[in-house]
Amino acid sequence: MGDNRPAVYVEEDTERVVYRGSSIGTCTKILIASRMGIEAQATPDWMQKKFDEGNRFEDEIIRRFEEKVGVKVVNQQQELEYELLGGKCLIRAHIDGEVRNEALVEVKAFSKSTWEKWERHKFKGFKQYAYQVSLYMHVKELYKLYFVVGVKNADGSAVDEVYVYEFDRPPVLFSDIKKVVNVVEDAYLKQEIPEACDYPAYPCPFSFLHEDDKKEVLEVDDAGVEKLALRLDEIRAQEKGLAEDKKAVTAELVATFDRLGIKGGKVQTDGYVIDDVVQWRKTLDYGAVASAGIELDKYMRFNKETRFVKVRKKK
C-alpha cells in the first residue's frame, strides 16, 4: 500500500508519534532524522517505479499463492496499531493479508537479483523485512508466516514465478522491536543524530547526513580541477542518454532479425555488416545452492580495490 509519509511522523489531530510498521527495521539514523522533522530527499523515480510495481503485482501474487497452496487470504490491508510509552507513541501498519487463524501472509515482488540474494540469506540479509513481519506476527499473535515472493521478469512488466516460504516463528523478538522506539525517542529528547548508520539503506533519504559527507573539505583554487569535474559531470549525463538510445536501437535491430526469421543470423547493407550474436551465459543457481545448505557468504572475499570519483553540483 503506497504511503509517502515519513518513517516517523506526528499525527496532527492526536499529537501522537506514529512509527510506520514497514520502516521499523530500517536504519536507526533514518528513524531519528524523521522523528526530528528533518525533510528527506525525494524518492528517486527508479525506486518509486519498484514501489509501484510491488503494489501493482500484489493481488496477482496473492491469487497465485492461493492456487498454489490451496488457502484463502483474508484481511488484506487490515490496519494494525500497537501503542508504546503510555500511548505517546504507536506503531501503525497494514498487513498484506492472513490465512484466518493460521498464518500471516507477506507479499513481495522481487527482481531476479534480489530474489537470488533472498535465497542466499533469507531474513539475515533483509533486516527491514525481518522487523516488519515480526511486528505483524506479534501484534496479530499469528506465529506462522507465509512469505510469498513474486519474481519479476527482466523489465519488471510481469511476474514470472511465485515462490512460497514458510516460517514458524517471528525472526525478531518483540522486545527488540519495542527497543527501537525507545532508542529513537531518547535520541529525539537529546536532539542527537548518530554519525554512523547501522543498516545500509539504499538509496538513503538522508544521504546528506552521512558520515562520508562530513569529510573535511579542502578548498582548491584550481581552474583545471573545476574543468575536469565539469567535464565528468557532462560525460555522465551524456552516458545516461546514450545508454537509453543504445538499448532502443538494439531492440529495433533484434526485432528486424526476428521479423526476417533469421535469429542469430547476419545481414549486410551498403555500409555495414550487422551480426545478431546470440549467447547463453552461465549463472549460478542460487536456489539449488541454498537448498544444498551452502552459505555462499562464507566464501566471499574482498580481493580487489575499486576506486571512483563522485562529482556533484555545489550547493
Side-chain angles (χ1 to χ4, degrees):
M1 182 166 140
D3 190 337
N4 293 322
R5 287 176 293 190
V8 186
Y9 62 93
V10 179
E11 207 167 37
E12 291 184 6
D13 54 346
T14 65
E15 296 187 353
R16 292 184 300 178
V17 181
V18 180
Y19 286 73
R20 293 182 56 189
S22 59
S23 301
I24 198 68
T26 192
C27 176
T28 307
K29 191 170 183 176
I30 289 176
L31 296 174
I32 293 171
S34 297
R35 177 68 178 97
M36 290 183 175
I38 299 173
E39 186 174 351
Q41 296 170 135
T43 302
D45 291 342
W46 63 267
M47 178 58 75
Q48 188 60 52
K49 181 184 176 185
K50 289 181 180 293
F51 292 153
D52 294 341
E53 286 172 357
N55 292 330
R56 188 170 79 251
F57 294 133
E58 185 173 306
D59 287 342
E60 179 193 345
I61 295 171
I62 287 176
R63 176 183 58 76
R64 290 168 66 174
F65 160 69
E66 290 176 326
E67 293 172 355
K68 196 168 196 172
V69 180
V71 297
K72 177 65 177 174
V73 176
V74 298
N75 293 335
Q76 287 179 249
Q77 297 307 321
Q78 180 187 50
E79 185 173 272
L80 303 182
E81 288 189 351
Y82 187 83
E83 292 188 345
L84 300 102
L85 302 179
K88 173 189 172 185
C89 302
L90 68 86
I91 305 175
R92 178 178 291 149
H94 296 83
I95 65 172
D96 290 337
E98 65 176 279
V99 177
R100 194 180 301 280
N101 300 323
E102 180 189 342
L104 183 84
V105 177
E106 180 65 19
V107 175
K108 301 295 181 189
F110 284 166
S111 65
K112 189 172 185 293
S113 61
T114 302
W115 170 71
E116 289 171 348
K117 177 184 174 184
W118 165 259
E119 279 287 340
R120 294 196 302 273
H121 306 293
K122 300 301 188 291
F123 285 120
K124 289 181 180 179
F126 293 81
K127 171 179 175 259
Q128 189 165 344
Y129 294 160
Y131 273 71
Q132 179 186 12
V133 299
S134 297
L135 168 71
Y136 302 167
M137 294 170 80
H138 287 301
V139 174
K140 291 285 295 182
E141 296 184 348
L142 289 172
Y143 298 108
K144 179 178 178 180
L145 168 69
Y146 288 111
F147 193 82
V148 188
V149 176
V151 181
K152 297 177 289 185
N153 62 5
D155 64 4
S157 62
V159 171
D160 282 342
E161 298 288 343
V162 171
Y163 298 93
V164 181
Y165 304 85
E166 294 184 37
F167 299 89
D168 60 6
R169 65 175 62 87
V172 179
L173 297 172
F174 205 6
S175 57
D176 288 339
I177 296 171
K178 297 173 186 177
K179 184 180 177 182
V180 171
V181 175
N182 290 327
V183 168
V184 174
E185 290 302 310
D186 184 58
Y188 173 73
L189 291 174
K190 295 176 180 176
Q191 289 293 291
E192 293 178 352
I193 298 180
E195 287 193 0
C197 296
D198 60 6
Y199 181 71
Y202 178 80
C204 177
F206 296 99
S207 60
F208 51 87
L209 298 176
H210 281 181
E211 188 174 15
D212 181 56
D213 290 330
K214 295 183 178 180
K215 292 180 182 177
E216 183 178 349
V217 179
L218 176 65
E219 289 288 343
V220 178
D221 185 15
D222 187 328
V225 174
E226 173 81 9
K227 186 176 180 180
L228 287 170
L230 174 62
R231 184 63 185 136
L232 183 58
D233 196 25
E234 291 172 343
I235 289 171
R236 286 180 176 167
Q238 292 167 3
E239 283 178 337
K240 183 178 179 181
L242 288 172
E244 292 173 353
D245 289 345
K246 179 183 176 182
K247 184 177 179 181
V249 171
T250 300
E252 287 188 36
L253 285 170
V254 166
T256 300
F257 278 97
D258 289 343
R259 188 174 67 252
L260 294 172
I262 53 169
K263 178 180 178 179
K266 187 182 291 186
V267 298
Q268 181 172 303
T269 66
D270 288 343
Y272 291 93
V273 175
I274 308 161
D275 192 352
D276 182 23
V277 180
V278 180
Q279 295 178 328
W280 286 91
R281 296 180 182 177
K282 285 186 177 180
T283 59
L284 186 63
D285 186 338
Y286 290 97
V289 171
S291 297
I294 300 172
E295 296 183 27
L296 285 179
D297 261 15
K298 290 182 179 179
Y299 307 99
M300 302 293 282
R301 300 289 184 272
F302 290 105
N303 56 16
K304 182 179 179 182
E305 181 182 73
T306 303
R307 238 174 134 178
F308 65 96
V309 176
K310 292 195 297 186
V311 172
R312 60 179 181 270
K313 289 283 196 314
K314 190 174 180 180
K315 294 181 180 178

